[in-house]
Amino acid sequence: MKKIIYLFLLFIFTILSCEHDSLYVSVDENDVIVEDDCDPDKIYYVNDVLPIINSNCAISGCHGGGSTQDGVDLSSYSGILQEITIGNAFDSDLYEAITDDDPEDIMPPSPSNPLTLEQITIIRDWINQGATNEECGDCDLTNVTYSLSVWPIIQNNCTGCHSGANPQGDLSLTNYNQIAQIASNGYLSGVINHEAGFIAMPFNGQQLTQCNIDIIEDWISQGYPNN
Ligand code: HEC
């Protein structure tokens, strides 16, 4: 009888752990929770928030790439948590900074453009939803194109540093020709995959999501078309 109870418990345990695995797969040292069954109403830190921070705030000379203006370092999840009150955007320094009425104090400062209302809303809702470190793991690799798939990733994760009059590393990544250039010589793949011999990008920041890396690799393997 004991043996039967034991087997029964083992059976239940196995079922429960399988179910758990299909919903959440825990990854890497940053403890990101990757959710496969994504909730359309939920703001995902890795997919939705991180690109906004990376391209507007966590840039060299500001709050990333080793720079910590005003003691603020937004190049990691833990650094971002320092600037917010979980569950309360209106009591969060980060939210106050991006919505400040005073043109002298608003972030990002002039001559950068303020965040769009949509970007501000994403950050607000993420904080209010609990500011968790999660990623939506759905990855769609059908119909990968330059304009709809690759450019948004570069724009959100790279142009913050690689644009303007003095782009970082003397490299501007603001149009197709410039991006095709680093696709053709292997640099694009090398820097995003953190391959030996390349400087890991985003510089001093978190690596792109596996989905975004897969999208860029797919486009490179198609011969990086301008489509
Ligand atoms: C926080 C600022 C920042 C961000 C964001 C950033 N870069 Fe860079 N990037 C740099 C700096 C600084 C250098 C020059 C590093 C050096 O030479 O030591 C550089 C250099 C490079 C180089 C030349 C690397 C080499 O091995 O010589 C490439 C290619 C590059 N970046 C691509 C990218 C791509 C693609 C992204 C987006 C996924 C990106 N960068 C995001 C700051 C940034």
Side-chain angles (χ1 to χ4, degrees):
M1 188 60 190
K2 255 192 182 158
K3 197 168 184 188
I4 292 179
I5 293 178
Y6 173 73
L7 284 176
F8 178 71
L9 285 175
L10 193 69
F11 173 65
I12 295 288
F13 180 73
T14 310
I15 291 198
L16 285 177
S17 53
C18 288
E19 174 128 19
H20 187 253
D21 269 347
S22 69
L23 284 177
Y24 300 107
V25 188
S26 188
V27 291
D28 83 26
E29 67 285 358
N30 294 322
D31 287 334
V32 183
I33 295 171
V34 181
E35 216 170 296
D36 292 331
D37 196 6
C38 305
D39 176 352
D41 296 325
K42 181 159 153 181
I43 307 294
Y44 287 89
Y45 170 70
V46 173
N47 309 71
D48 306 318
V49 175
L50 196 53
I52 300 173
I53 302 281
N54 277 348
S55 56
N56 295 282
C57 323
I59 56 186
S60 298
C62 305
H63 307 291
S67 310
T68 55
Q69 287 286 322
D70 285 331
V72 176
D73 183 358
L74 301 177
S75 64
S76 67
Y77 175 68
S78 55
I80 293 168
L81 285 193
Q82 300 282 312
E83 307 305 325
I84 66 174
T85 302
I86 293 173
N88 188 349
F90 300 109
D91 187 37
S92 296
D93 289 344
L94 176 66
Y95 185 77
E96 281 168 25
I98 60 177
T99 55
D100 207 301
D101 289 337
D102 187 341
E104 301 265 305
D105 292 333
I106 191 161
M107 291 286 141
S110 145
S112 300
N113 290 323
L115 298 186
T116 64
L117 188 57
E118 194 197 352
Q119 292 172 321
I120 291 171
T121 307
I122 287 173
I123 291 177
R124 183 197 68 195
D125 290 352
W126 174 68
I127 296 172
N128 288 341
Q129 287 177 9
T132 53
N133 189 2
E134 289 180 74
E135 174 180 345
C136 167
D138 280 348
C139 191
D140 187 1
L141 290 174
T142 49
N143 301 323
V144 167
T145 63
Y146 169 72
S147 54
L148 296 179
S149 322
V150 174
W151 168 241
I153 299 171
I154 301 286
Q155 188 181 29
N156 284 329
N157 295 281
C158 317
T159 47
C161 294
H162 293 286
S163 65
N166 296 304
Q168 307 278 322
D170 243 346
L171 174 70
S172 199
L173 295 176
T174 54
N175 62 43
Y176 169 79
N177 288 338
Q178 293 161 342
I179 295 161
Q181 167 74 21
I182 58 165
S184 70
N185 63 18
Y187 270 76
L188 180 56
S189 183
V191 298
I192 61 171
N193 284 297
H194 295 187
E195 275 170 30
F198 294 91
I199 301 169
M201 293 291 144
F203 193 68
N204 274 0
Q206 294 181 44
Q207 192 169 18
L208 296 184
T209 62
Q210 193 55 51
C211 183
N212 283 345
I213 293 174
D214 291 346
I215 288 172
I216 292 176
E217 290 294 343
D218 183 280
W219 175 70
I220 294 174
S221 70
Q222 294 174 36
Y224 42 91
N226 186 3
N227 54 2

